[in-house]
Amino acid sequence: MKDFKSYSENQPENNPPQNSGGNGSTASYNNTVELAKVLTKAMAGKNEGQILHTIIAEAERGKREGTLTNADLDNFYNALAPFVDGFKRRKLKEVIIRLKGI
């Protein structure tokens, strides 16, 4: 896995963000879906602990470098939360809150 932002850098420039009427955009949603695809591919064959460690390490690096925003973290949470059970969703939320504090 390179970093959280690399997935959006590969998006075509001729697709400007479109307002979806909510508090996000279609482009933002599409970027988040692409992030989930990249993460899935990068994490194939790894156990849950390794995956969580990698995600946290990359997110911490992105926050410290200023390349990962709290909005990016929210989008990441919103994209993954529906795919995990209640306990894992709470754990993911705790990690996101911790990362936002960096």
Side-chain angles (χ1 to χ4, degrees), residues 46-98:
K46 295 182 179 178
N47 69 38
E48 185 177 320
Q50 291 170 317
I51 292 170
L52 187 59
H53 181 313
T54 301
I55 290 171
I56 292 171
E58 289 300 316
E60 286 177 346
R61 185 172 61 87
K63 284 289 285 186
R64 285 187 173 84
E65 292 175 354
T67 60
L68 182 66
T69 67
N70 288 346
D72 293 327
L73 291 170
D74 287 335
N75 288 339
F76 181 73
Y77 174 81
N78 292 331
L80 273 104
F83 299 106
V84 296
D85 64 30
F87 175 77
K88 291 178 183 174
R89 189 175 303 120
R90 284 189 301 274
K91 179 73 171 173
L92 179 61
K93 186 66 170 178
E94 290 172 13
V95 169
I96 296 297
I97 289 169
R98 188 179 108 204

Short mmCIF file of all heavy atoms in Angstrom, two decimals, residues 46-98:
data_model
loop_
_atom_site.label_atom_id
_atom_site.label_comp_id
_atom_site.label_asym_id
_atom_site.label_seq_id
_atom_site.Cartn_x
_atom_site.Cartn_y
_atom_site.Cartn_z
N LYS A 46 -3.48 -11.03 4.31
CA LYS A 46 -3.01 -10.57 5.62
C LYS A 46 -4.09 -10.78 6.67
O LYS A 46 -5.28 -10.75 6.35
CB LYS A 46 -2.61 -9.09 5.56
CG LYS A 46 -1.43 -8.83 4.66
CD LYS A 46 -1.03 -7.39 4.66
CE LYS A 46 0.18 -7.18 3.75
NZ LYS A 46 0.57 -5.79 3.69
N ASN A 47 -3.66 -10.97 7.92
CA ASN A 47 -4.66 -11.13 8.98
C ASN A 47 -5.17 -9.77 9.45
O ASN A 47 -4.64 -8.73 9.09
CB ASN A 47 -4.12 -11.98 10.14
CG ASN A 47 -3.04 -11.27 10.94
OD1 ASN A 47 -3.10 -10.08 11.17
ND2 ASN A 47 -2.05 -12.03 11.38
N GLU A 48 -6.20 -9.80 10.27
CA GLU A 48 -6.85 -8.57 10.71
C GLU A 48 -5.89 -7.62 11.43
O GLU A 48 -5.93 -6.41 11.21
CB GLU A 48 -8.00 -8.94 11.64
CG GLU A 48 -8.83 -7.78 12.09
CD GLU A 48 -10.00 -8.22 12.95
OE1 GLU A 48 -10.62 -9.25 12.63
OE2 GLU A 48 -10.28 -7.52 13.93
N GLY A 49 -5.02 -8.15 12.27
CA GLY A 49 -4.07 -7.32 13.00
C GLY A 49 -3.10 -6.61 12.07
O GLY A 49 -2.80 -5.43 12.25
N GLN A 50 -2.60 -7.34 11.06
CA GLN A 50 -1.68 -6.74 10.09
C GLN A 50 -2.37 -5.64 9.29
O GLN A 50 -1.78 -4.60 9.02
CB GLN A 50 -1.15 -7.82 9.13
CG GLN A 50 -0.23 -8.82 9.78
CD GLN A 50 0.06 -9.98 8.85
OE1 GLN A 50 -0.83 -10.51 8.18
NE2 GLN A 50 1.31 -10.40 8.82
N ILE A 51 -3.61 -5.88 8.92
CA ILE A 51 -4.37 -4.89 8.15
C ILE A 51 -4.57 -3.62 8.97
O ILE A 51 -4.31 -2.52 8.49
CB ILE A 51 -5.73 -5.48 7.69
CG1 ILE A 51 -5.49 -6.59 6.67
CG2 ILE A 51 -6.64 -4.39 7.13
CD1 ILE A 51 -6.72 -7.38 6.32
N LEU A 52 -5.03 -3.79 10.20
CA LEU A 52 -5.27 -2.63 11.06
C LEU A 52 -3.98 -1.85 11.30
O LEU A 52 -3.97 -0.62 11.22
CB LEU A 52 -5.89 -3.07 12.38
CG LEU A 52 -6.34 -1.96 13.32
CD1 LEU A 52 -7.38 -1.07 12.65
CD2 LEU A 52 -6.91 -2.56 14.60
N HIS A 53 -2.90 -2.56 11.55
CA HIS A 53 -1.61 -1.90 11.78
C HIS A 53 -1.19 -1.09 10.56
O HIS A 53 -0.75 0.06 10.67
CB HIS A 53 -0.55 -2.94 12.12
CG HIS A 53 0.81 -2.37 12.41
ND1 HIS A 53 1.43 -1.42 11.63
CD2 HIS A 53 1.68 -2.62 13.41
CE1 HIS A 53 2.60 -1.12 12.12
NE2 HIS A 53 2.78 -1.83 13.21
N THR A 54 -1.33 -1.66 9.37
CA THR A 54 -0.94 -0.97 8.13
C THR A 54 -1.80 0.27 7.90
O THR A 54 -1.28 1.34 7.56
CB THR A 54 -1.06 -1.93 6.93
OG1 THR A 54 -0.21 -3.05 7.15
CG2 THR A 54 -0.67 -1.24 5.64
N ILE A 55 -3.11 0.14 8.10
CA ILE A 55 -4.01 1.27 7.89
C ILE A 55 -3.66 2.40 8.85
O ILE A 55 -3.55 3.57 8.45
CB ILE A 55 -5.48 0.84 8.06
CG1 ILE A 55 -5.89 -0.05 6.89
CG2 ILE A 55 -6.41 2.06 8.16
CD1 ILE A 55 -7.24 -0.71 7.06
N ILE A 56 -3.46 2.07 10.12
CA ILE A 56 -3.14 3.09 11.12
C ILE A 56 -1.81 3.76 10.81
O ILE A 56 -1.70 4.98 10.87
CB ILE A 56 -3.16 2.49 12.54
CG1 ILE A 56 -4.59 2.10 12.91
CG2 ILE A 56 -2.57 3.46 13.55
CD1 ILE A 56 -4.71 1.30 14.18
N ALA A 57 -0.81 2.97 10.46
CA ALA A 57 0.51 3.53 10.16
C ALA A 57 0.45 4.49 8.97
O ALA A 57 1.03 5.59 9.01
CB ALA A 57 1.52 2.40 9.89
N GLU A 58 -0.25 4.10 7.92
CA GLU A 58 -0.36 4.95 6.74
C GLU A 58 -1.16 6.21 7.04
O GLU A 58 -0.83 7.30 6.58
CB GLU A 58 -0.98 4.19 5.57
CG GLU A 58 -0.07 3.14 4.97
CD GLU A 58 1.23 3.72 4.44
OE1 GLU A 58 1.20 4.77 3.76
OE2 GLU A 58 2.28 3.12 4.70
N ALA A 59 -2.21 6.06 7.81
CA ALA A 59 -3.03 7.23 8.16
C ALA A 59 -2.25 8.20 9.04
O ALA A 59 -2.31 9.41 8.83
CB ALA A 59 -4.30 6.78 8.87
N GLU A 60 -1.51 7.67 10.01
CA GLU A 60 -0.69 8.54 10.86
C GLU A 60 0.34 9.31 10.03
O GLU A 60 0.54 10.50 10.22
CB GLU A 60 0.01 7.72 11.94
CG GLU A 60 -0.91 7.27 13.05
CD GLU A 60 -0.23 6.39 14.08
OE1 GLU A 60 0.90 5.90 13.82
OE2 GLU A 60 -0.82 6.18 15.15
N ARG A 61 0.95 8.62 9.11
CA ARG A 61 1.94 9.26 8.23
C ARG A 61 1.27 10.36 7.41
O ARG A 61 1.78 11.49 7.29
CB ARG A 61 2.60 8.23 7.33
CG ARG A 61 3.73 8.82 6.47
CD ARG A 61 4.49 7.73 5.74
NE ARG A 61 3.67 6.98 4.81
CZ ARG A 61 3.44 7.33 3.54
NH1 ARG A 61 4.00 8.43 3.06
NH2 ARG A 61 2.69 6.59 2.77
N GLY A 62 0.12 10.06 6.84
CA GLY A 62 -0.61 11.05 6.03
C GLY A 62 -1.03 12.26 6.84
O GLY A 62 -0.94 13.40 6.37
N LYS A 63 -1.50 12.05 8.06
CA LYS A 63 -1.89 13.17 8.92
C LYS A 63 -0.68 14.04 9.26
O LYS A 63 -0.76 15.26 9.20
CB LYS A 63 -2.54 12.66 10.21
CG LYS A 63 -3.95 12.17 10.06
CD LYS A 63 -4.93 13.28 9.80
CE LYS A 63 -5.19 14.04 11.09
NZ LYS A 63 -6.21 15.04 10.99
N ARG A 64 0.43 13.41 9.60
CA ARG A 64 1.63 14.19 9.96
C ARG A 64 2.18 14.97 8.78
O ARG A 64 2.71 16.06 8.94
CB ARG A 64 2.68 13.26 10.56
CG ARG A 64 2.35 12.84 11.97
CD ARG A 64 3.47 12.06 12.63
NE ARG A 64 3.17 11.83 14.02
CZ ARG A 64 2.43 10.84 14.50
NH1 ARG A 64 1.87 9.99 13.67
NH2 ARG A 64 2.23 10.71 15.79
N GLU A 65 2.06 14.40 7.58
CA GLU A 65 2.55 15.08 6.38
C GLU A 65 1.54 16.10 5.86
O GLU A 65 1.85 16.85 4.94
CB GLU A 65 2.85 14.05 5.28
CG GLU A 65 4.04 13.16 5.60
CD GLU A 65 4.25 12.06 4.56
OE1 GLU A 65 3.41 11.91 3.64
OE2 GLU A 65 5.25 11.35 4.68
N GLY A 66 0.36 16.09 6.39
CA GLY A 66 -0.67 17.03 5.95
C GLY A 66 -1.37 16.62 4.68
O GLY A 66 -2.06 17.42 4.05
N THR A 67 -1.24 15.36 4.28
CA THR A 67 -1.86 14.89 3.04
C THR A 67 -3.16 14.15 3.29
O THR A 67 -3.85 13.77 2.35
CB THR A 67 -0.91 13.97 2.26
OG1 THR A 67 -0.57 12.85 3.08
CG2 THR A 67 0.35 14.71 1.85
N LEU A 68 -3.51 13.93 4.55
CA LEU A 68 -4.74 13.24 4.90
C LEU A 68 -5.56 14.15 5.81
O LEU A 68 -5.08 14.57 6.86
CB LEU A 68 -4.41 11.92 5.62
CG LEU A 68 -5.60 11.05 6.01
CD1 LEU A 68 -6.30 10.52 4.75
CD2 LEU A 68 -5.15 9.90 6.88
N THR A 69 -6.77 14.45 5.40
CA THR A 69 -7.63 15.35 6.17
C THR A 69 -8.64 14.56 7.00
O THR A 69 -8.85 13.36 6.77
CB THR A 69 -8.41 16.29 5.23
OG1 THR A 69 -9.34 15.50 4.46
CG2 THR A 69 -7.49 17.07 4.32
N ASN A 70 -9.26 15.23 7.93
CA ASN A 70 -10.32 14.61 8.71
C ASN A 70 -11.49 14.20 7.82
O ASN A 70 -12.14 13.19 8.08
CB ASN A 70 -10.78 15.53 9.83
CG ASN A 70 -9.76 15.64 10.94
OD1 ASN A 70 -8.81 14.86 11.02
ND2 ASN A 70 -9.94 16.62 11.80
N ALA A 71 -11.75 14.96 6.78
CA ALA A 71 -12.82 14.61 5.83
C ALA A 71 -12.47 13.30 5.12
O ALA A 71 -13.35 12.46 4.89
CB ALA A 71 -13.03 15.72 4.82
N ASP A 72 -11.19 13.11 4.77
CA ASP A 72 -10.76 11.85 4.16
C ASP A 72 -11.00 10.68 5.12
O ASP A 72 -11.44 9.61 4.71
CB ASP A 72 -9.27 11.89 3.80
CG ASP A 72 -8.95 12.88 2.70
OD1 ASP A 72 -9.80 13.07 1.80
OD2 ASP A 72 -7.85 13.46 2.74
N LEU A 73 -10.70 10.91 6.40
CA LEU A 73 -10.92 9.87 7.40
C LEU A 73 -12.40 9.55 7.54
O LEU A 73 -12.78 8.38 7.64
CB LEU A 73 -10.33 10.30 8.75
CG LEU A 73 -8.81 10.36 8.82
CD1 LEU A 73 -8.37 11.03 10.11
CD2 LEU A 73 -8.20 8.97 8.69
N ASP A 74 -13.24 10.58 7.52
CA ASP A 74 -14.69 10.36 7.59
C ASP A 74 -15.18 9.56 6.39
O ASP A 74 -15.99 8.64 6.53
CB ASP A 74 -15.43 11.69 7.68
CG ASP A 74 -15.28 12.37 9.03
OD1 ASP A 74 -15.02 11.66 10.04
OD2 ASP A 74 -15.42 13.61 9.08
N ASN A 75 -14.68 9.92 5.21
CA ASN A 75 -15.07 9.19 4.00
C ASN A 75 -14.64 7.73 4.08
O ASN A 75 -15.38 6.83 3.68
CB ASN A 75 -14.47 9.84 2.76
CG ASN A 75 -15.13 11.15 2.41
OD1 ASN A 75 -16.24 11.43 2.82
ND2 ASN A 75 -14.42 11.98 1.68
N PHE A 76 -13.44 7.51 4.59
CA PHE A 76 -12.92 6.15 4.75
C PHE A 76 -13.82 5.36 5.70
O PHE A 76 -14.22 4.23 5.40
CB PHE A 76 -11.48 6.20 5.27
CG PHE A 76 -10.85 4.87 5.46
CD1 PHE A 76 -10.45 4.12 4.37
CD2 PHE A 76 -10.63 4.36 6.73
CE1 PHE A 76 -9.85 2.88 4.54
CE2 PHE A 76 -10.05 3.12 6.91
CZ PHE A 76 -9.65 2.38 5.82
N TYR A 77 -14.16 5.96 6.83
CA TYR A 77 -15.03 5.29 7.80
C TYR A 77 -16.39 4.98 7.17
O TYR A 77 -16.90 3.87 7.28
CB TYR A 77 -15.22 6.15 9.05
CG TYR A 77 -16.24 5.56 9.99
CD1 TYR A 77 -15.89 4.53 10.86
CD2 TYR A 77 -17.55 6.01 9.99
CE1 TYR A 77 -16.83 3.97 11.70
CE2 TYR A 77 -18.50 5.45 10.83
CZ TYR A 77 -18.13 4.43 11.68
OH TYR A 77 -19.08 3.86 12.50
N ASN A 78 -16.98 5.97 6.52
CA ASN A 78 -18.31 5.79 5.92
C ASN A 78 -18.32 4.72 4.84
O ASN A 78 -19.34 4.05 4.64
CB ASN A 78 -18.84 7.11 5.38
CG ASN A 78 -19.15 8.10 6.49
OD1 ASN A 78 -19.49 7.72 7.60
ND2 ASN A 78 -19.01 9.38 6.19
N ALA A 79 -17.21 4.55 4.15
CA ALA A 79 -17.13 3.54 3.10
C ALA A 79 -16.98 2.13 3.68
O ALA A 79 -17.54 1.18 3.15
CB ALA A 79 -15.95 3.83 2.17
N LEU A 80 -16.24 2.01 4.78
CA LEU A 80 -15.99 0.69 5.34
C LEU A 80 -16.99 0.24 6.40
O LEU A 80 -17.21 -0.96 6.55
CB LEU A 80 -14.58 0.63 5.92
CG LEU A 80 -13.56 0.24 4.87
CD1 LEU A 80 -12.79 1.44 4.42
CD2 LEU A 80 -12.68 -0.83 5.40
N ALA A 81 -17.57 1.15 7.13
CA ALA A 81 -18.46 0.81 8.24
C ALA A 81 -19.58 -0.17 7.86
O ALA A 81 -19.86 -1.08 8.63
CB ALA A 81 -19.03 2.08 8.88
N PRO A 82 -20.22 0.00 6.71
CA PRO A 82 -21.31 -0.94 6.38
C PRO A 82 -20.85 -2.39 6.18
O PRO A 82 -21.67 -3.30 6.20
CB PRO A 82 -21.88 -0.38 5.07
CG PRO A 82 -21.44 1.03 5.01
CD PRO A 82 -20.13 1.08 5.73
N PHE A 83 -19.55 -2.60 6.00
CA PHE A 83 -19.05 -3.93 5.69
C PHE A 83 -18.53 -4.69 6.91
O PHE A 83 -18.08 -5.82 6.77
CB PHE A 83 -17.93 -3.85 4.65
CG PHE A 83 -18.41 -3.25 3.35
CD1 PHE A 83 -18.05 -1.96 3.01
CD2 PHE A 83 -19.25 -3.95 2.51
CE1 PHE A 83 -18.50 -1.38 1.83
CE2 PHE A 83 -19.71 -3.39 1.33
CZ PHE A 83 -19.34 -2.11 0.99
N VAL A 84 -18.58 -4.07 8.09
CA VAL A 84 -18.07 -4.73 9.30
C VAL A 84 -19.16 -4.81 10.35
O VAL A 84 -20.11 -4.03 10.34
CB VAL A 84 -16.82 -4.00 9.85
CG1 VAL A 84 -15.67 -4.06 8.87
CG2 VAL A 84 -17.12 -2.56 10.20
N ASP A 85 -19.01 -5.78 11.27
CA ASP A 85 -20.01 -5.94 12.33
C ASP A 85 -19.90 -4.83 13.36
O ASP A 85 -19.01 -3.99 13.32
CB ASP A 85 -19.90 -7.32 12.96
CG ASP A 85 -18.57 -7.55 13.68
OD1 ASP A 85 -17.98 -6.58 14.18
OD2 ASP A 85 -18.13 -8.71 13.74
N GLY A 86 -20.80 -4.84 14.33
CA GLY A 86 -20.88 -3.78 15.33
C GLY A 86 -19.60 -3.56 16.11
O GLY A 86 -19.18 -2.42 16.32
N PHE A 87 -18.95 -4.64 16.59
CA PHE A 87 -17.72 -4.50 17.36
C PHE A 87 -16.62 -3.88 16.53
O PHE A 87 -15.94 -2.95 16.95
CB PHE A 87 -17.27 -5.86 17.89
CG PHE A 87 -15.94 -5.80 18.59
CD1 PHE A 87 -15.84 -5.28 19.87
CD2 PHE A 87 -14.79 -6.23 17.95
CE1 PHE A 87 -14.61 -5.21 20.51
CE2 PHE A 87 -13.55 -6.16 18.58
CZ PHE A 87 -13.47 -5.65 19.86
N LYS A 88 -16.44 -4.38 15.32
CA LYS A 88 -15.39 -3.87 14.44
C LYS A 88 -15.69 -2.44 14.00
O LYS A 88 -14.79 -1.63 13.82
CB LYS A 88 -15.20 -4.78 13.24
CG LYS A 88 -14.59 -6.11 13.63
CD LYS A 88 -14.44 -7.03 12.46
CE LYS A 88 -13.89 -8.36 12.91
NZ LYS A 88 -13.86 -9.34 11.83
N ARG A 89 -16.97 -2.13 13.84
CA ARG A 89 -17.35 -0.76 13.48
C ARG A 89 -16.98 0.20 14.61
O ARG A 89 -16.45 1.29 14.36
CB ARG A 89 -18.85 -0.69 13.19
CG ARG A 89 -19.29 0.63 12.60
CD ARG A 89 -20.76 0.66 12.21
NE ARG A 89 -21.07 -0.40 11.27
CZ ARG A 89 -21.97 -1.36 11.49
NH1 ARG A 89 -22.67 -1.40 12.60
NH2 ARG A 89 -22.18 -2.30 10.58
N ARG A 90 -17.24 -0.19 15.86
CA ARG A 90 -16.87 0.65 17.00
C ARG A 90 -15.35 0.81 17.07
O ARG A 90 -14.84 1.90 17.34
CB ARG A 90 -17.40 0.05 18.30
CG ARG A 90 -18.88 0.27 18.49
CD ARG A 90 -19.35 -0.12 19.87
NE ARG A 90 -19.09 -1.50 20.21
CZ ARG A 90 -19.88 -2.54 19.91
NH1 ARG A 90 -21.01 -2.32 19.29
NH2 ARG A 90 -19.56 -3.76 20.26
N LYS A 91 -14.62 -0.27 16.83
CA LYS A 91 -13.15 -0.22 16.85
C LYS A 91 -12.66 0.73 15.75
O LYS A 91 -11.78 1.55 15.98
CB LYS A 91 -12.58 -1.62 16.65
CG LYS A 91 -11.09 -1.68 16.64
CD LYS A 91 -10.53 -1.49 18.01
CE LYS A 91 -9.04 -1.77 17.98
NZ LYS A 91 -8.41 -1.43 19.24
N LEU A 92 -13.23 0.62 14.56
CA LEU A 92 -12.86 1.50 13.45
C LEU A 92 -13.14 2.95 13.81
O LEU A 92 -12.32 3.83 13.56
CB LEU A 92 -13.61 1.10 12.18
CG LEU A 92 -13.36 1.93 10.93
CD1 LEU A 92 -11.89 1.86 10.51
CD2 LEU A 92 -14.26 1.46 9.79
N LYS A 93 -14.28 3.22 14.43
CA LYS A 93 -14.63 4.58 14.83
C LYS A 93 -13.61 5.11 15.85
O LYS A 93 -13.18 6.27 15.76
CB LYS A 93 -16.05 4.61 15.42
CG LYS A 93 -16.54 6.00 15.73
CD LYS A 93 -16.71 6.80 14.46
CE LYS A 93 -17.41 8.10 14.71
NZ LYS A 93 -17.52 8.90 13.49
N GLU A 94 -13.20 4.27 16.80
CA GLU A 94 -12.20 4.69 17.79
C GLU A 94 -10.88 5.05 17.12
O GLU A 94 -10.23 6.03 17.48
CB GLU A 94 -11.96 3.56 18.80
CG GLU A 94 -13.11 3.31 19.74
CD GLU A 94 -12.91 2.07 20.59
OE1 GLU A 94 -11.78 1.52 20.63
OE2 GLU A 94 -13.89 1.63 21.21
N VAL A 95 -10.48 4.25 16.13
CA VAL A 95 -9.24 4.52 15.40
C VAL A 95 -9.34 5.83 14.65
O VAL A 95 -8.42 6.65 14.68
CB VAL A 95 -8.90 3.35 14.44
CG1 VAL A 95 -7.78 3.72 13.49
CG2 VAL A 95 -8.56 2.09 15.23
N ILE A 96 -10.48 6.07 14.00
CA ILE A 96 -10.68 7.31 13.25
C ILE A 96 -10.62 8.51 14.20
O ILE A 96 -9.96 9.52 13.88
CB ILE A 96 -12.03 7.28 12.48
CG1 ILE A 96 -12.03 6.20 11.41
CG2 ILE A 96 -12.35 8.66 11.88
CD1 ILE A 96 -11.01 6.36 10.31
N ILE A 97 -11.25 8.41 15.34
CA ILE A 97 -11.23 9.51 16.32
C ILE A 97 -9.79 9.77 16.78
O ILE A 97 -9.35 10.92 16.88
CB ILE A 97 -12.16 9.19 17.51
CG1 ILE A 97 -13.61 9.27 17.06
CG2 ILE A 97 -11.89 10.14 18.68
CD1 ILE A 97 -14.60 8.71 18.07
N ARG A 98 -9.05 8.70 17.03
CA ARG A 98 -7.64 8.86 17.45
C ARG A 98 -6.83 9.53 16.36
O ARG A 98 -6.02 10.43 16.61
CB ARG A 98 -7.04 7.49 17.79
CG ARG A 98 -5.67 7.61 18.40
CD ARG A 98 -5.09 6.28 18.75
NE ARG A 98 -4.02 6.04 17.80
CZ ARG A 98 -3.56 4.86 17.46
NH1 ARG A 98 -4.09 3.78 17.96
NH2 ARG A 98 -2.58 4.73 16.61
#
